[in-house]
Amino acid sequence: ILMFPSFKSQSMKWQDNFLFAGLSDQHYDLIGQHMQLISYSPGDVLMKEGEPGEFMLLIKSGTVDIYKNELKLAQRGPDDLVGLMGLVEGCERSATVVANRTGVEAFKVDRIAWEKIMSGDIKAQILNNYLIYQQNTIRSTDEKRLEEARDKWKEDHMRVLSARFFVQMVIGLIVFTFALGALSSMADSGESTFISFGLLFVYAAWSFFFVKNSGLSLESFGMTMNNFRSALPFTIWTTALFLICMFLFKWVLITWFPEDFGTSMLSGYTGSDQLPVVLLASLYSIHAVFQEFIARGCIQGGLHQFITGKFSAVTAIFLATMLFSVFHLMMDMRFALLTIIPGLFWGYLFYK
């Protein structure tokens, strides 16, 4: 403990603190005689809930955490006062004060020193300063709570909108799947292709309608041109690298497991003689855009809006990919499982 016989010998200008504003040099000299500078290590308990309020602290450096029944209420730092009400009222501490991880240096005023300070003509000025401080604190606290309430309302409102949108998307996906299964079973392979493409476009239009009326921004679903100049080259080279890896993976499969995966690197479309390859490729190039809009933009984007937590992005990517994979089960189990690999990649790319 360091004793300061005179205010002028102190390195910290604590006279600038709100509690001592408007006092004279003589008053500062008087107060300085009763100041004690104390150092606390990280984790030290400065004040404990339920103990008598026998002193107050004016924090010089570091921060303290204030707890009530193990619930953290606030944090205080340099020039803040802690423990004043307990000292003034002579009551028990209402909360526990603990030094933060950097430790704390604070000026201590005990009850004896406080009574000597307040016995002079400065009592009214100090109490008036404290009253002004309390009013400002209450006003600031009310504004902070109002802002927190607004943020909480926005967060809850966003979750409601996102959940409602996602339910609509799932309903549309169910209807689409049943319709595709029913219509495809009544058509030959060529007509089935047109039916699946047509239904996908209808489902994409359904999805876009709900995107527009969801109350969420279009950017939430990836519909934006922001930063496309930097995103485009990144997308191109990462996609090229991914395709190279897929070709190498296919090469390994046909080299080591030809009985299961064949012997050719590329296979043409053999589902129907009615559709030329060029026409099919043209249709699928359009089909893929709508497919990605639904799978990434709507489903993954919607999920990402209302899933919270550290792994919210990973969860949204995984769930959207699995829904995308499940949709392909009607074609082939192995094909559906293989769609998981590019699904995860493009899910990440969409998020990125």
Side-chain angles (χ1 to χ4, degrees), residues 3-12 29 32:
M3 301 298 295
F4 291 91
S6 172
F7 161 75
K8 294 182 177 60
S9 65
Q10 298 174 37
S11 60
M12 176 182 174
D29 286 336

Side-chain angles (χ1 to χ4, degrees), residues 68-141:
K68 176 74 174 180
N69 296 327
E70 299 183 357
L71 176 66
K72 184 177 177 179
L73 300 179
Q75 187 177 85
R76 296 289 183 265
D79 286 341
D80 284 331
L81 287 172
V82 289
L84 178 59
M85 289 309 300
L87 186 63
V88 172
E89 297 178 353
C91 58
E92 295 180 347
R93 301 290 188 196
S94 60
T96 298
V97 181
V98 181
N100 213 322
R101 59 181 179 274
T102 58
V104 173
E105 278 190 320
F107 293 101
K108 178 180 179 180
V109 179
D110 59 24
R111 178 168 299 282
I112 296 176
W114 179 255
E115 290 176 352
K116 290 182 179 180
I117 293 172
M118 297 298 285
S119 62
D121 58 350
I122 61 175
K123 179 177 181 179
Q125 182 64 43
I126 290 180
L127 292 180
N128 182 68
N129 291 341
Y130 186 70
L131 178 61
I132 295 174
Y133 167 77
Q134 285 292 81
Q135 291 295 322
N136 291 334
T137 300
I138 293 172
R139 187 180 299 112
S140 175
T141 301

